[in-house]
Amino acid sequence: MLYTELIRLWDEGVRAVDNRDWQGALAKLNQISDPTSRTLFVTSSVHLALEQFDMAIKTLDSVIAKDERLAVGFFQRAAVHMMTNRLEEALGDCIWAQKHMRENTIIDYKQLGLRYKLYSWQVLYNAAAVHCRMGQWEKAGEILLAASQERGGRGVQVDLAMDSIARREVIAPLFVPEGVVFRPRKQDVEELRPRDFLGKPEVIISDIPHDDFGGFEPLRPQKPGYYEPKVEEGQDSRYMCVKNAYMAKSPGELTVPAGAHVFVFSQDDRNDLATVIYDGQRGLLPNFLLEPVTKKTKGKKKKYSVPSGIPLPPSLKPPTRPEAAVSLPPELPSSYTIDTCTSSPSQDIITTQSPSRQTEGADSVIVKAHYTYTVALSVPIDIEYRELQERVAQKLGQPAALIRLR
């Protein structure tokens, strides 16, 4: 049996005991397939309240079998044995209860769910009650005298019992009060209640018109009109825009506002009607009201706006690499140019700046070569191409055969 089911039935049985619904309590407690000593104690208390003493004793036998050191179980069974005039069994239970008190004057069962404190003087009191029924008045008086000397003893109750014994009157046994039973832990009962850890979802903003779905998006029911409906192969289906508002004039037609986007299943030129879906509803609209969805242009980008259906997929063409603006260094005359080429084996790009004279009559110039990085070197004005190629290759750390200058 699941522990949660045990706690549920136990709690419902205790609630029935609080309402003095004894039959309802038995119905709930008897459904527990694997009872514990504490749930069985509740059942015995219900039988005792119904004055079913034999059933109460039988249930208390099971309680003690489950927990052999439960002193309050022996105490309660001793009292029930006296009610059925089983004095020897009652006296034996009093002895066992006193033994399992383990020389304590009090045992508090609150931690186990029973709001009851068992005192050692109460066990002695019931033992004296057994001796009264056996006619052993002197023995009963001695036990009551010992009970009055116990700490926590109720002097008035013991004194009244001693007066009754002096008059040779039988005293009534003590019981655990009616309705005082073992209860499940409050934390365990609270765990049975369902908890909402995520809270209630709310739609803050949505691209879909009139959207009230607040759940997990992949679990959204695919309502026609909000998603691309399935169409037959070869069918000319698409989204179109309604030019003017239209009111339904016959069954099967739709009322659609102006500017709405509808999904067209098919168009019948003979009847001038089209089968469309709008806002989750399927119906008919005149063909002359439909026009292609207009494009909205923003800058250089073009995008179709289809608020009633799924957004159009992005373009498959990747964006081009932006062209960086190239400016001439201040020392170059505006008549000079910069060109690029690629070396055939490695496809590396090399750009060179045309030579510029630093001073009039100078015999050397500064050449800048743009590769993975930029290098500058001083060369004579009348240098040959192959020598310049070798110097640039040496500067860049590349083979001269891979470098072409333009």
Side-chain angles (χ1 to χ4, degrees):
M1 185 178 191
L2 294 177
Y3 182 70
T4 54
E5 186 69 11
L6 169 65
I7 296 298
R8 183 184 65 81
L9 293 173
W10 186 3
D11 180 63
E12 291 177 356
V14 170
R15 292 178 183 274
V17 169
D18 294 338
N19 297 328
R20 302 182 66 83
D21 180 12
W22 311 118
Q23 297 298 336
L26 281 179
K28 294 296 182 180
L29 295 169
N30 289 334
Q31 293 180 28
I32 301 177
S33 59
D34 189 12
T36 64
S37 60
R38 290 181 285 175
T39 60
L40 289 171
F41 189 91
V42 181
T43 307
S44 67
S45 300
V46 174
H47 286 303
L48 187 59
L50 294 174
E51 297 184 356
Q52 300 173 355
F53 301 119
D54 291 337
M55 291 298 300
I57 292 175
K58 184 178 179 180
T59 310
L60 286 169
D61 292 342
S62 301
V63 172
I64 295 172
K66 293 278 186 178
D67 190 350
E68 297 178 352
R69 293 175 176 80
L70 190 63
V72 71
F74 288 102
F75 171 77
Q76 186 81 334
R77 191 172 68 173
V80 181
H81 277 315
M82 279 188 276
M83 298 299 294
T84 58
N85 203 27
R86 301 174 183 176
L87 302 180
E88 294 294 338
E89 291 84 349
L91 185 59
D93 285 338
C94 289
I95 296 174
W96 280 108
Q98 186 67 23
K99 178 181 179 180
H100 292 305
M101 290 290 293
R102 296 180 294 277
E103 298 182 358
N104 295 313
T105 57
I106 181 175
I107 294 181
D108 191 354
Y109 289 95
K110 184 178 180 180
Q111 292 184 350
L112 296 180
L114 180 66
R115 298 171 185 173
Y116 184 73
K117 296 179 181 179
L118 179 63
Y119 293 87
S120 60
W121 71 264
Q122 292 175 321
V123 178
L124 295 174
Y125 185 97
N126 275 1
V130 175
H131 287 290
C132 288
R133 285 167 169 76
M134 291 181 175
Q136 301 173 0
W137 302 104
E138 294 181 0
K139 185 67 173 177
E142 293 176 1
I143 295 176
L144 282 177
L145 182 60
S148 63
Q149 296 175 357
E150 290 283 340
R151 288 183 300 172
R154 298 183 180 180
V156 176
Q157 193 168 2
V158 175
D159 292 342
L160 292 175
M162 293 180 69
D163 293 340
S164 298
I165 290 176
R167 296 191 300 267
R168 298 298 190 265
E169 294 177 0
V170 177
I171 59 177
L174 297 178
F175 291 87
V176 176
E178 184 180 286
V180 179
V181 294
F182 285 98
R183 300 171 182 270
R185 290 198 318 160
K186 184 179 179 180
Q187 297 87 338
D188 293 342
V189 176
E190 290 178 352
E191 289 293 333
L192 299 178
R193 302 172 185 172
R195 294 186 178 183
D196 186 5
F197 292 98
L198 299 179
K200 184 178 180 181
E202 295 181 2
V203 177
I204 300 176
I205 187 171
S206 177
D207 292 335
I208 302 175
H210 311 294
D211 186 14
D212 57 355
F213 180 72
F216 185 48
E217 182 64 24
L219 301 181
R220 176 196 291 270
Q222 295 195 3
K223 187 176 180 181
Y226 291 154
Y227 293 83
E228 192 78 30
K230 293 183 179 180
V231 296
E232 297 180 1
E233 187 177 356
Q235 193 173 1
D236 185 16
S237 59
R238 60 199 179 280
Y239 278 100
M240 299 192 74
C241 181
V242 179
K243 294 186 291 185
N244 301 317
Y246 182 76
M247 296 291 295
K249 300 178 181 178
S250 62
E253 295 186 351
L254 295 178
T255 299
V256 182
H261 293 84
V262 297
F263 184 82
V264 180
F265 266 103
S266 61
Q267 288 181 292
D268 191 350
D269 297 333
R270 293 173 297 178
N271 297 332
D272 294 330
L273 294 175
T275 303
V276 301
I277 285 181
Y278 173 71
D279 198 15
Q281 297 181 356
R282 181 170 178 170
L284 301 174
L285 280 180
N287 283 329
F288 66 88
L289 292 176
L290 303 178
E291 62 179 1
V293 178
T294 58
K295 297 180 180 179
K296 291 185 178 181
T297 304
K298 184 178 180 181
K300 296 182 180 181
K301 298 181 180 179
K302 295 183 179 180
K303 180 181 178 182
Y304 286 96
S305 174
V306 187
S308 297
I310 59 175
L312 296 178
S315 175
L316 297 179
K317 184 179 179 181
T320 58
R321 184 173 183 178
E323 298 180 0
V326 180
S327 60
L328 293 176
E331 67 271 8
L332 292 180
S334 59
S335 60
Y336 287 177
T337 61
I338 297 177
D339 198 359
T340 61
C341 71
T342 57
S343 57
S344 54
S346 62
Q347 299 297 321
D348 290 331
I349 299 175
I350 298 178
T351 66
T352 61
Q353 291 186 357
S354 301
S356 64
R357 299 179 182 271
Q358 294 179 340
T359 58
E360 189 68 25
D363 57 353
S364 64
V365 294
I366 300 298
V367 176
K368 292 184 179 180
H370 298 280
Y371 188 56
T372 305
Y373 50 90
T374 302
V375 297
L377 63 161
S378 176
V379 296
I381 296 178
D382 55 351
I383 189 172
E384 296 184 358
Y385 174 80
R386 185 170 298 281
E387 184 180 355
L388 177 61
Q389 186 181 24
E390 291 178 354
R391 288 195 181 188
V392 171
Q394 183 179 3
K395 194 74 173 179
L396 296 176
Q398 299 287 338
L402 300 181
I403 297 177
R404 284 174 21 188
L405 305 176
R406 294 184 60 186

